[in-house]
Amino acid sequence: MAQIELRGVSARYPSGGQVLDGVSLVVDKGEVVSIIGPSGSGKSTLLRVLVGLLPPSAGEVWLDGSRLDYADRKALTAARARLAIVFQQFNLFQNMTALDNVTVTPVKIRREPKASARARGEALLRRVGLGDKLGAYPDELSGGQQQRVALARALALGPEILLLDEVTSALDPEMVNEVLDAIRDLANEGITMLIVSHEMAFVREVSDRVVMMADGAVVETGPPGQIFDAPRTERCREFVSKILRH
Amino acid sequence: MDYTFQWGVALRYLPDLLQGAWVTFHLTFIGFWTGLVVAVFLAVGQLYGSVRLRRAISAYVVFFTNTPSLVTAFFIFYGLPEIGILWSPYVCVLVNLVLNAGAFLTDVIRGGVASVRVAEMEAAETLGFSMLQKIRYVIVPHVAKVLYAPISNLYIVFILGSALAAIFGVEELTGTAFNIASETFRTIEIYSLAAAIYVVMTVVASVVLALVGRLAFRVRARVL
Ligand SMILES: Nc1ncnc2c1ncn2[C@@H]1O[C@H](COP(=O)(O)OP(=O)(O)OP(=O)(O)O)[C@@H](O)[C@H]1O
Ligand SMILES: [Mg+2]
């Protein structure tokens, strides 16, 4: 069953031109879909549309069979409660410790008991290798560590759908594997995932399907085997050959 | 140089000068921090209010930040009695201080709010924060942190600027020094002593503010 469905979604930033141009995409429940494509092709923008930060200028977004109404704040908040995003730039709260970043939403917004939220936050941070950084502020953490805090913050929400924007870009190779293991576990737990990544080996391994984007549009969609080994479009062949060469 | 220093005379008046310093202290303390409260409301009004409210607040800010506070004090001191409002010199100067501090601080706070990182606001938005929760957990901690030092510095500036109260006959530190100097003619000694007291006051204020800041912002935004 389609959990996320984009129907001809276009989007523009107030300050600029069209960034997404009629994107259609279906992601089934429990599916792991990766989005690849050159820098500036609109991958992050697509995720921003899904979390409601940027309303589409045309087209529709459907979640579990109901159309997302961007003008209805209540509905938007309800939809967001089921989604979690890890931003490309992490977007951590600079004035909160790692643990507070992870627990602020459960405790302050969702009013969960502190003790259990804290225990879960600590466990999540330990899981991403930050058990000794619970009290550190973002400006005291490396890029890779901040990224992992952001991942833990997203997981603390217990989302049905997880959106990951370049979560491995700031990680060293060793840490990449740990984070990828965590993501793989999540995939096995049946969380629906939409992953933007330049990490082709990972994309190939973890994805059920790969979406190649260029210039704000979907160029080709298919299983990893197709996209990487036998792309059907010239644009995709060109991109994949460039990326796989190094 | 045939001026003979006579510190003994000056020191005899030390208690009076300290009394004046006390007046300086409560004048600026009450005036400045009241101004800060005013400024918080005005800054919020300027950021989220209607167009008319914004214009009114801007006009106020532009007027007071571009007029010497001595001139606005004259307005209050000589203008208000014309329309039947009779305030003591102390109250006139205090109100002037509140209005001036309020204007400068409105600008400062607005700048601080404008510097809140978009990324954090977006994260809060996607995490389901309400407007009030964003203010409480994102904006206030940020603004308090980035504005603490500039506001502290402004406080020192206002302590020193409060000397203009002397012109209106308020017996704060400068006014007291002026009176004693014209009685004793130990002008240099008395003003040196007054200057030294100002230095002590501002240094103590800076240190206290720095300590409070360090304590308060170690904790930053607390969740657990
Ligand atoms: N806040 C913004 N305001 C205006 N234009 C923007 C903004 N953010 C992105 N853009 C533009 O939108 C286009 C798509 O950007 P987007 O961030 O979605 O690309 P991307 O595919 O995620 O790239 P990358 O791989 O580098 O992260 C770019 O041309 C970019 O310049
Ligand atoms: Mg991006």
Side-chain angles (χ1 to χ4, degrees), chain A residues 117-136:
Chain A
R118 180 192 193 104
R120 192 153 44 95
E122 287 177 355
L124 282 166
L125 284 167
R126 266 198 300 276
R127 178 173 175 185
V128 292
L130 292 175
D132 56 342
K133 296 285 184 191
L134 303 177

Side-chain angles (χ1 to χ4, degrees), chain A residues 39-40 42-45 88-89 165-166 196:
Chain A
S39 182
K43 307 181 295 294
S44 297
T45 304
Q88 194 166 1
Q89 312 298 334
D165 200 348
E166 303 283 6
V196 172

Side-chain angles (χ1 to χ4, degrees), chain A residues 48 51 53 73 80 87 91-96 99-100 103-105 108-109 114 118 137 153 157, chain B residues 117 119-120 122-129 133 137-138 141-142 145 218-224:
Chain A
R48 295 171 64 82
V51 293
L53 287 175
R73 222 188 129 79
R80 277 172 177 156
F87 290 95
N91 298 21
L92 294 178
F93 299 120
Q94 298 295 316
N95 291 305
M96 295 182 198
L99 184 58
D100 282 349
T103 54
V104 64
T105 310
K108 297 297 182 187
I109 314 302
K114 278 186 188 179
R118 180 192 193 104
Y137 287 92
R153 178 172 73 177
L157 306 175
Chain B
R117 282 165 283 253
E120 287 184 46
E122 289 186 345
E125 174 76 17
T126 60
L127 291 169
F129 287 45
Q133 288 166 331
Y137 298 113
V138 181
H142 171 83
K145 205 173 116 205
R218 264 277 68 117
V219 221
R220 305 206 234 185
R222 297 278 302 156
V223 171
L224 294 169

Side-chain angles (χ1 to χ4, degrees), chain A residues 29-74:
Chain A
K29 193 161 174 46
E31 206 182 7
V32 178
V33 173
S34 292
I35 305 176
I36 62 169
S39 182
S41 56
K43 307 181 295 294
S44 297
T45 304
L46 185 64
L47 299 189
R48 295 171 64 82
V49 169
L50 278 173
V51 293
L53 287 175
L54 186 67
S57 54
E60 293 173 350
V61 176
W62 291 67
L63 286 179
D64 286 318
S66 59
R67 195 174 70 84
L68 195 55
D69 181 357
Y70 286 79
D72 181 349
R73 222 188 129 79
K74 264 213 179 105

